[in-house]
Structures are given as C-alpha cells and as structure tokens.
Amino acid sequence: MTILKINNTIIKAIVFDYNGTLAKLNIDFHKMRQSVLALIASYDVSPNDLPADHILETIHHAAEIVRADTDSKADSLIINAYELIRQQEIAAACQGELFEQTRYLLSRLDAAGIATAVITRNCLAAINIEFPDISSYCRAVICRDHVTQVKPHPEHLNKALQMLGIKAANSLMVGDHPLDIKTGKAVGTFTAGVLTGNSRKEDFRQVQADLVLSCAADLLDLAE
C-alpha cells in the first residue's frame, strides 16, 4: 500500500468507529435501551415525555427533566444510567472479538504513513477488554470517557484530528452507522460506510457517504 486517494485528495488520516467497524457488533442495544428506560421511569419520567433519540442523548434529556426538581437527583440518574450501560458494554466485550483483518488493516495503514484513530460512544474499559493492544495500532483512541460531547457532535472527531495533527480535508471517517457519516460531514472529512454492522447501502446513500464498503479492510483495495 502506498497512497490512498478519494476524489484526487490524498488521505493522511483515517478515523474509525469501533463496534461494527473494527469489532463485531454484539451489543444488544434493544436490551440496553429497555433497561435504561426502566431506570428513567423509576425517576418518575415517562418515556413518552422523551424525544426519540440515541440512548446517551435520551439519558441527558431525562436528566434535564429531573433537574427541574433537584440537581442531585438528575446527577444520580446520569450516574446510574451510565453504569447500566457500562456493565452491558463490558459483558458484550468479554464475549466479543475483532474482525479478522482489523490488526492487519491498521498495520498496513501505519506502514503507509496514514495516521489512524478510533472514536467511539463505547466506554474505554470495554475497548481494553476486547482490543487490549489497541494503542499499538492506533495513535488515538477516544471513547465517551474522554469528551464532553460524543459523536455525532463534532467535538469527538475534532479531538481525534487534533491529536493526529491532520486537517479534516485530508481525513476519512469510517463507520457502520449513518451517525458516523453525519459526524464526518459535520467536521468536513471524507466519509465511508461499512456493511459490517446493521446498516444497509441505502442507509449510507441517504446520508451521502462518499464510499460504501463491504468492510473496513476494503480500504486496502483502494490504495494506489
């Protein structure tokens, strides 16, 4: 592998999502949502009062409702909800595994001088269980523990690019969910959707991903 180009632009950095992109997706998000909604209901907040959203955002919407009563109660909700999520993420990681070509892909990119990073809404403890040597393969690993705003908020991806020292215009965001594409577009990177999670080609086309690949390792086939 020598040079990776998209639309005649040399890619100098690739930022990957984690679950469903570099590792097999085995988190039961439905179970996670149901357990968090049950906890939220115990704080006298009805799920019907919450907008349809991703689970972390749902927690914070619920906390703002509770905060009208007391700050301590809202803080308690956030702490307990995040602990529920963390426990399920760790349980999934103990049974999880990387895709077969993940380490090979990251090694090849590094050898080609392409900086790599991971940004994930997952917790660091779960990543370290499943991919304990990840820091040997990626220059930056930024979990939800490391930012105040997770993707699709630009802060998450911007922090990775700042750590890599690469401009967004020469970077590629790769993920298995349209949320990853929206994150990249918000920051100004190129974007690639991979079909190793639960999303379809049509889902990525709707959000105008620059590339749709069967898996992340297909990036190696694009090199000149």
Side-chain angles (χ1 to χ4, degrees), residues 13 16 22 29 58 74 167:
F16 293 94
L22 298 179
F29 289 108
T58 295
K167 294 180 180 179

Side-chain angles (χ1 to χ4, degrees), residues 36-111:
V36 168
L37 289 177
L39 175 68
I40 288 172
S42 74
Y43 284 79
D44 298 322
V45 176
S46 170
N48 295 329
D49 295 333
L50 301 171
D53 216 335
H54 300 293
I55 191 64
L56 298 180
E57 287 78 2
T58 295
I59 292 168
H60 287 278
H61 280 302
E64 286 310 304
I65 294 173
V66 173
R67 200 172 298 281
D69 184 8
T70 64
D71 285 344
S72 61
K73 189 175 178 181
D75 293 341
S76 169
L77 188 158
I78 292 172
I79 291 169
N80 290 331
Y82 270 68
E83 179 58 22
L84 269 179
I85 291 173
R86 191 186 73 86
Q87 289 175 3
Q88 292 186 38
E89 289 170 340
I90 288 175
C94 289
Q95 303 299 320
E97 60 182 313
L98 301 179
F99 289 118
E100 184 178 352
Q101 288 189 291
T102 290
R103 285 186 174 88
Y104 177 71
L105 167 64
L106 297 173
S107 295
R108 286 286 304 278
L109 293 174
D110 182 64

Side-chain angles (χ1 to χ4, degrees), residues 160-180:
L161 295 178
Q162 288 166 4
M163 292 178 69
L164 296 178
I166 307 294
K167 294 180 180 179
N170 293 105
S171 303
L172 173 66
M173 177 71 217
V174 181
D176 73 310
H177 194 283
L179 177 148
D180 299 302

